[in-house]
Amino acid sequence: MLSKALLLALLLAALLVGCAPRAPISASEMFGFCMTASPTSDYCSKQKGYCMHLREAVSRQFASRAECQAACWQVRDAYRLTMIDFGCVQTYESGLDWCGRYCTTNYE
């Protein structure tokens, strides 16, 4: 009986840890994740510029998460055709995802 109660307590603790707030990531960390996020070995010649522009876009203070995400989307829109034309779709999507994570962890 004691082992079942202990197991249940550990399970509940593990579930609650998953609900803990995430620590904010910095713009530099977001850039690093963007640069390494593509799971393929395909070289994307536009990756560095795209990730740099995402970092620059969020490297200022925003009044809200929505404003931060709008900055990410502005870079997304500027690179949409370029990234697709150069076969960088995975980098494009993962970079935008990391930018969104930056906004979520810094502007809750």
Side-chain angles (χ1 to χ4, degrees), residues 2 11 14-15 18 27 38 59 66 76 79 96 101 107:
L2 180 61
L11 179 62
L15 290 173
S38 183
S59 292
R76 172 202 66 190
Y79 272 85
L96 184 62
R101 289 181 194 189
Y107 299 94

Side-chain angles (χ1 to χ4, degrees), residues 1 7-9 12-13 21-22 25 33-34 36 41 44-46 48 60 64 68-69 73 78 84 94 104:
M1 181 68 180
L7 183 60
L8 181 61
L12 287 174
R22 289 185 252 164
I25 61 173
F33 291 133
C34 179
T36 59
S41 60
C44 176
S45 63
K46 299 297 179 185
K48 186 174 183 180
R60 57 187 172 94
S64 67
C68 181
Q69 289 174 326
W73 297 334
I84 293 169
S94 62
T104 299

Side-chain angles (χ1 to χ4, degrees), residues 13-82:
L15 290 173
L16 290 176
V17 168
C19 296
R22 289 185 252 164
I25 61 173
S26 69
S28 293
E29 288 172 316
M30 190 244 354
F31 172 77
F33 291 133
C34 179
M35 287 297 294
T36 59
S38 183
T40 66
S41 60
D42 295 339
Y43 176 71
C44 176
S45 63
K46 299 297 179 185
Q47 182 173 5
K48 186 174 183 180
Y50 176 61
C51 294
M52 285 175 52
H53 281 106
L54 286 172
R55 179 180 59 192
E56 290 169 8
V58 299
S59 292
R60 57 187 172 94
Q61 286 296 112
F62 297 97
S64 67
R65 181 183 350 172
E67 285 184 16
C68 181
Q69 289 174 326
C72 295
W73 297 334
Q74 189 174 17
V75 174
R76 172 202 66 190
D77 292 345
Y79 272 85
R80 179 175 283 143
L81 294 177
T82 302

